[in-house]
Amino acid sequence: MKKLLIGLLIPFCGYTAVAQTKTPVKKAPVRNTASKAGVKSTHTAPVAAKPMSTLDSASYAFGTSMAASLKSGGLTDLNYDLLVRGLKETFSGKQVLLNQEDSQRAIANLFQKMNENKFSAEIEEGKAFLQQNGTKEGIKTTASGLQYEVITPGTGISPKSTDTVLVNYKGTLLNGKQFDSSYDRNAPLSLSLDRVITGWTEGMQLMQTGAKYRFFIPYQLAYGERGAGADIPPYSALIFEIELLKVNGK
């Protein structure tokens, strides 16, 4: 959030070098088409726009720059009355309606809501899939919403959330598109369970060495609203097949 607020202020810096002197406005000459017989001219001089003061032009520039930054982030509308009220009360030192923490939360909530609306189809697809999948035989669902299926049971130890494990795995989207596979690389992966997505951390603690599970992970337990790179879109529910080979080298 701090980065967001800083990003809104950066464009304003370019306006600090506004000239402090006013440039005289040149009046357009009036062409006199009146005849010597006294015919009145129908041509009038254009009315020059009233020049703005340095403060007025900078104030307007602040507004356009702020709007451009917010618009580029996907925002299309604001409550302008409250926007102006917030500016006035902050500059005057009056008691504001929201403190800094509440203000940051309000901005984050707005952009999150916008993002959810943008990816509503993906969110609904994942929700519908998991709801239907949870009714299938052999599928178990934990309190967090993580779903799993035991492909091959294990006989060894179960890892803790801070353990390092050696695994083989394959990851796909709901449509079956594969985005990663240690099997294809012929190279099992060693990783610490406190450094992976929440669905992995929770799910792998259900396994024993030698086991192979299939996990169905809601976006909240995967890469969330951001996704991961070009292969995993935002709000993607994911499917992983994971084979637990070792725990802490054992």
Side-chain angles (χ1 to χ4, degrees):
M1 182 51 58
K2 182 177 181 182
K3 291 183 179 179
L4 170 64
L5 297 178
I6 292 175
L8 296 180
L9 294 176
I10 288 176
F12 301 157
C13 298
Y15 293 97
T16 56
V18 175
Q20 300 299 311
T21 57
K22 298 179 181 179
T23 303
V25 178
K26 295 181 179 180
K27 294 183 178 180
V30 180
R31 183 182 178 186
N32 185 6
T33 57
S35 67
K36 292 181 180 180
V39 178
K40 186 176 181 181
S41 172
T42 58
H43 294 273
T44 58
V47 178
K50 182 180 179 181
M52 291 191 291
S53 68
T54 299
L55 178 61
D56 288 346
S57 60
S59 298
Y60 185 79
F62 273 117
T64 57
S65 185
M66 179 186 295
S69 294
L70 292 172
K71 191 174 181 180
S72 67
L75 193 63
T76 58
D77 195 17
L78 284 172
N79 185 322
Y80 304 113
D81 291 338
L82 285 174
L83 174 65
V84 173
R85 178 177 174 180
L87 290 169
K88 287 182 176 179
E89 291 181 348
T90 299
F91 273 113
S92 65
K94 291 183 178 179
Q95 180 68 37
V96 294
L97 297 177
L98 301 174
N99 59 31
Q100 184 177 8
E101 182 179 351
D102 290 338
S103 295
Q104 292 177 344
R105 185 181 300 109
I107 294 172
N109 288 343
L110 175 61
F111 278 95
Q112 181 179 350
K113 185 65 175 178
M114 288 168 47
N115 213 30
E116 289 176 355
N117 290 337
K118 181 179 179 181
F119 292 96
S120 59
E122 288 80 359
I123 294 173
E124 289 304 315
E125 179 188 16
K127 185 183 299 183
F129 174 88
L130 292 169
Q131 184 175 5
Q132 175 63 27
N133 190 62
T135 64
K136 294 180 179 179
E137 184 178 355
I139 302 298
K140 298 180 180 180
T141 304
T142 70
S144 69
L146 176 69
Q147 296 180 352
Y148 67 96
E149 175 185 9
V150 179
I151 300 174
T152 304
T155 57
I157 62 174
S158 295
K160 299 186 294 294
S161 62
T162 55
D163 283 339
T164 298
V165 297
L166 183 68
V167 298
N168 263 322
Y169 68 96
K170 179 179 72 171
T172 64
L173 303 178
L174 296 185
N175 61 12
K177 181 181 178 181
Q178 180 177 294
F179 54 81
D180 196 9
S181 174
S182 67
Y183 294 104
D184 290 352
R185 295 190 298 271
N186 195 28
L189 180 66
S190 178
L191 50 85
S192 178
L193 288 184
D194 59 0
R195 300 176 65 86
V196 292
I197 59 175
T198 304
W200 270 57
T201 304
E202 178 185 352
M204 295 206 64
Q205 293 180 77
L206 303 174
M207 303 176 69
Q208 295 175 303
T209 52
K212 185 174 183 179
Y213 281 25
R214 182 177 291 115
F215 292 100
F216 306 88
I217 305 179
Y219 78 84
Q220 300 95 327
L221 305 179
Y223 294 97
E225 66 273 11
R226 294 186 178 183
D231 296 325
I232 302 177
Y235 297 97
S236 292
L238 304 176
I239 302 174
F240 280 98
E241 290 183 9
I242 304 177
E243 184 180 3
L244 179 57
L245 304 176
K246 292 182 180 180
V247 177
N248 290 331
K250 300 178 182 178

